[in-house]
Structure formats: C-alpha cells, structure tokens
Amino acid sequence: MIENLITPEQFCLMYGVPIQTQAKWRMKKGDGIKLPYIKLGRRVFYKRDSIEALVNSLEVNSIASINTNTIKDKR
C-alpha cells in the first residue's frame, strides 16, 4: 500500500500544484476542488488512484461531455 501513496511534495513535482494550494484544497468546503487525503500522524499522503481520478474529473471538453452536449443539442 505504501507504494500507492504519494506525498504533497511528490504531488507538487508531478502536477505543479504548490503545497499551500494543496492544503487549501484539502480543507475546501462547498464547491470547488476537494483533494482526498490520508493523514497518518502529522503526515499527509494521497492515494495515487484518487489523484488520477481527480485529475481526470477536471478534464475540460472531454469526449463524454462532448457526447452529452451533442445529444442535448439534437433534442
């Protein structure tokens, strides 16, 4: 399981999201990006699969949204 976890520093290097921004996303309430995390003592980790799912959910103009919009326009 440890190999499936990444640190905020690794997340920053992989995606370019500053650590302070990650902290804000972790505490976000309401609308916006909510970053799922695991807290072990004082350390914060992210599951690699959860981060990939989050990144995929942020995709703009994905095939799924294009297909949905096309169907709505034809009605």
Side-chain angles (χ1 to χ4, degrees):
M1 165 118 174
I2 278 292
E3 61 275 352
N4 192 35
L5 300 178
I6 60 173
T7 65
E9 293 81 7
Q10 291 171 315
F11 183 81
C12 180
L13 291 172
M14 291 167 68
Y15 295 100
V17 178
I19 293 173
Q20 189 62 35
T21 301
Q22 294 175 44
K24 290 177 186 175
W25 288 355
R26 287 194 303 266
M27 300 304 133
K28 188 81 169 172
K29 295 194 181 351
D31 292 336
I33 298 172
K34 296 175 188 82
L35 191 58
Y37 67 100
I38 297 169
K39 186 128 184 186
L40 295 173
R42 297 184 330 178
R43 304 275 325 251
V44 171
F45 297 95
Y46 307 115
K47 284 181 166 177
R48 195 174 299 272
D49 296 341
S50 296
I51 296 303
E52 289 174 6
L54 174 69
V55 169
N56 288 334
S57 75
L58 298 174
E59 183 176 6
V60 178
N61 295 330
S62 67
I63 296 299
S65 68
I66 291 170
N67 289 340
T68 302
N69 291 336
T70 303
I71 291 170
K72 288 179 185 175
D73 291 341
K74 290 183 179 181
R75 289 184 186 172

